Structure formats: C-alpha cells, structure tokens
C-alpha cells in the first residue's frame, strides 16, 4: 500500500516537520537568483519596487522569469532524494510508488491523455471563439521558451507532487493512521499554495475551488493507483502544455506561447468544467484501464503498521 511505504523508513512525525523546514530552506536558496536580478533591475535600471508577483513578471523577459522562478524547484528537486535517504532512511522510489520501480508507462499514459485533451480543447475553443485569442507565435521566442519549459516544467511539476502527494501524504498518513485526512489536508494545502497566484486577484476566491479540487483529484489518483506516476503525468502535461500553448496577461506564467487568451475568464470553462466533467472522466479512464477496486478502503481506510514484515 502506498502510504504504508513510509513505515519502511525511520519516520517519527518530528522528522517530517524538520523535512518541511529543509524544503522551505531549499526553496529560499533557489529564490536567490530571482531576488538578486529584481534588485539589479530596481537599482540599475530604474524599475520601481514590485508590489506583487504580477509586477515582478512584468519587469523582465517572460522566458527569463520562467527560468529564474523555476530554479527554486530545481534546488528542492535535487535535495529531495538526499532528504528521503538521509533523514527518513527510505529509498526515494518508496516515496513515489508502491511498485518496485517507477512505472514510466503509467506516467506517459497520463501525460498523453491529459496533454491531448488540453491541446484539442484549446484548439476547439480557438475555432469556436476566435476573438478570444491572439496568435502570438514567434519562432525564435517560442523555441527558447520550449527549451526552458521542457527542462524546467517537469522538474517544477514533479517537485510539487513529491511534496503534496508524496512527502505530506505519507507523513500525515502515518500521523493519523488513516487515508482520508491526508487526502483532504494535502488537497487544501495544495490549493493554499496557489493562493498567492495572480489568477486569484483576477478571478476571485472561487478559483480556489479549482486548485483544491485539482489537488483532491490527484490525491485520489495517487491513493487508488498506489503511486504517484499518474499524478505526475497529469501535472507535467497540464503545466507544460499550458505554458507552451496559451497564456494570459494576468496569469502566474506569462509566456511566449502560441496563443494569448484575451477574453475575460469564464467561471464554467475555467473552474466548473474541469471539476465536474473533465476530472471525473479522467478518473473513469484510469479506473477502467488499471482496474481500480476497493475505493472506500483505499481512500478512507486505516493505515497498516506491518508492511515492513509483509
């Protein structure tokens, strides 16, 4: 069982508190280049001190911002295997999956399904509502963005999954000895992490439903599939395709993508449709392909303490 993987290590809960502190410190270290560059722009280029993330984004080339912002995730990504091995005495793969090795076929299947959906749905919206989009494709800028995104976005997406569907899911599961609490709590924390995004100012607090709902869907997928491979594939596809295909003037990642969405955000398309249509269909596809069963037990059951002896 996935959460029980952590029982194989040395995992009193205080180690998870220490681990979160180490992760936060790593994020801070990774943020130094962006902070230094913003300071340079303020001191030497005459830019005013930014009041929020959106103003930081507007101070520099969008691809450079993506690269500098993602460095924090690179630092955390690199230190995660060391953290798991040194602090928790676990194999890194045991935080990712209950299988002996990472199932990359699962990851690629999830990536393909969700990535394909995003491409098709975006192109369909462009055909139906052409006035809502501007084509801003520039070969040189797009190629540079593609190089940065293909390297950085999978690292960023995987790091978020390692933290929420891996580290915190297992740590909270061991603490409370059940699956429902970590499923709900990691979903809420995942939503709150995105609460400072510029999208919240534009769309209002309603968008938190989308963030928390996405976290909940990924948590369900991870617990039902006994590993985070499907969640990783979804998350990487969602962020990578979005960065390359369509951007806005008010989002957290404003890029030299193919399209710019110039419409006002629509509550149904942006929030309700994924939560009540797309995500349930995705869960059905996964459930049938991988023959999921015992939903109640896997999502709400108690945590066993004897996996190390199985």
């Amino acid at each position: 069982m996935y959460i029980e993987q952590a029982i194989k290590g040395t995992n009193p809960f205080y180690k998870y508190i220490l681990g979160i502190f180490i992760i936060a410190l790593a994020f801070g270290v990774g943020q130094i280049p962006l902070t230094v560059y913003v300071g340079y722009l303020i001191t030497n280029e005459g830019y005013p001190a930014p009041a929020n993330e959106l103003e930081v984004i507007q101070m520099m080339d969008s691809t450079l911002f993506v690269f500098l912002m993602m460095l924090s995730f690179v630092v955390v990504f690199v230190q995660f295997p060391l953290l798991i091995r040194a602090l928790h005495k676990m194999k890194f793969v045991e935080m990712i999956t209950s299988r002996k090795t990472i199932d990359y076929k699962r990851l690629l299947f999830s990536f393909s399904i969700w990535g394909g959906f995003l491409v098709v749905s975006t192109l369909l919206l462009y055909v139906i509502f052409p006035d809502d989009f501007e084509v801003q494709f520039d070969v040189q800028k797009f190629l540079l963005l593609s190089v940065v995104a293909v390297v950085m976005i999978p690292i960023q997406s995987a790091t978020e999954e390692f933290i929420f569907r891996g580290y915190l899911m297992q740590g909270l599961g061991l603490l409370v000895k059940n699956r429902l609490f970590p499923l709900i709590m990691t979903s809420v924390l995942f939503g709150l992490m995105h609460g400072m995004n510029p999208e919240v100012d534009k769309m209002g607090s309603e968008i938190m439903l989308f963030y928390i709902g996405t976290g909940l869907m990924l948590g369900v997928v991870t617990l039902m599939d006994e590993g985070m491979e499907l969640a990783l594939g979804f998350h990487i596809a969602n962020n990578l395709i979005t960065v390359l295909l369509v951007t806005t003037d008010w989002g957290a990642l404003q890029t030299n993508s193919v399209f710019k969405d110039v419409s006002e955000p629509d509550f149904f398309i942006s929030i309700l449709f994924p939560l009540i249509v797309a995500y349930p269909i995705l869960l059905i596809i996964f459930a049938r392909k991988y023959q999921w069963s015992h939903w109640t037990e896997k999502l709400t059951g108690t945590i066993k303490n004897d996996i190390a002896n199985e």
Side-chain angles (χ1 to χ4, degrees):
M1 303 294 281
Y2 176 67
I3 291 181
E4 285 90 339
Q5 290 286 100
I7 296 172
K8 296 178 180 179
T10 305
N11 293 316
F13 192 69
Y14 79 86
K15 286 194 174 184
Y16 283 94
I17 297 175
L18 177 59
I20 292 298
F21 174 79
I22 294 172
I23 292 169
L25 183 62
F27 264 114
V29 171
Q31 197 74 15
I32 291 174
L34 177 59
T35 303
V36 170
Y37 187 65
V38 170
Y40 168 81
L41 293 177
I42 294 171
T43 303
N44 298 284
E45 302 294 332
Y47 285 88
N52 51 51
E53 183 179 341
L54 189 58
E55 293 185 5
V56 174
I57 295 171
Q58 295 168 347
M59 291 174 69
M60 65 189 76
D61 175 78
S62 61
T63 301
L64 177 60
F65 174 78
V66 171
F67 175 78
L68 292 175
M69 188 184 73
M70 295 299 171
L71 287 178
S72 289
F73 293 95
V74 173
V75 176
V76 178
F77 182 87
V78 170
Q79 64 86 45
F80 236 117
L82 301 176
L83 174 71
I84 297 303
R85 172 62 71 179
L87 185 61
H88 296 282
K89 311 302 181 185
M90 291 173 59
K91 297 177 182 178
F92 186 51
V93 69
E94 291 172 345
M95 192 196 71
I96 297 175
T97 183
S98 61
R99 289 167 273 276
K100 292 183 179 180
T101 60
I102 298 172
D103 189 340
Y104 289 101
K105 290 183 178 179
R106 274 176 154 84
L107 192 156
L108 291 174
F109 176 74
S110 179
F111 179 93
S112 300
I113 289 291
W114 191 247
F117 167 77
L118 291 177
V119 171
V120 171
S121 60
T122 300
L123 294 178
L124 184 61
L125 288 172
Y126 174 66
V127 171
I128 298 173
F129 306 108
D131 292 339
D132 289 348
F133 295 87
E134 289 181 0
V135 179
Q136 60 169 22
F137 181 70
D138 181 294
V139 175
Q140 185 175 359
K141 291 181 178 180
F142 182 78
L143 288 177
L144 179 59
L145 170 66
S146 298
V147 171
V148 172
V150 168
V151 174
M152 292 298 204
I153 295 299
I155 292 174
Q156 175 261 332
S157 303
T159 300
E160 290 188 8
E161 289 306 305
F162 292 164
I163 293 172
F164 291 98
R165 259 63 64 181
Y167 198 66
L168 288 176
M169 182 79 79
Q170 290 184 340
L172 291 171
L174 292 185
L175 176 66
V176 301
K177 305 302 182 184
N178 69 60
R179 294 175 174 79
L180 182 60
F181 179 80
L183 172 61
I184 294 174
M185 184 56 64
T186 56
S187 303
V188 172
L189 291 174
F190 182 75
L192 293 177
M193 182 193 72
H194 292 84
M196 298 299 292
N197 284 7
E199 292 93 335
V200 178
D201 292 333
K202 180 68 174 181
M203 300 184 65
S205 58
E206 293 86 354
I207 196 173
M208 296 303 294
L209 293 174
F210 171 75
Y211 292 137
I212 294 173
T214 299
L216 182 63
M217 184 275 293
L218 292 173
V220 169
V221 167
T222 299
L223 291 179
M224 290 305 303
D225 202 52
E226 303 291 1
M228 67 169 72
E229 292 99 332
L230 295 177
L232 281 167
F234 170 95
H235 204 149
I236 294 170
N238 189 73
N239 291 3
L240 182 60
I241 299 301
T242 300
V243 162
L244 294 177
L245 194 57
V246 60
T247 189
T248 67
D249 284 330
W250 42 265
L253 290 177
Q254 299 177 24
T255 66
N256 296 308
S257 57
V258 176
F259 298 108
K260 177 186 287 187
D261 186 344
V262 296
S263 67
E264 287 298 308
D266 182 273
F267 180 78
F268 176 79
I269 293 176
S270 300
I271 298 175
L272 285 186
F273 182 80
L275 295 180
I276 67 176
V277 180
Y279 289 175
I281 292 175
L282 189 65
L283 288 174
I284 291 171
I285 291 172
F286 288 158
R288 290 187 175 181
K289 180 173 178 60
Y290 298 108
Q291 300 182 339
W292 292 349
S293 60
H294 304 97
W295 288 69
T296 300
E297 177 186 345
K298 288 185 177 181
L299 298 181
T300 67
T302 57
I303 302 298
K304 297 179 181 179
N305 291 316
D306 58 351
I307 188 171
N309 298 319
E310 292 181 357

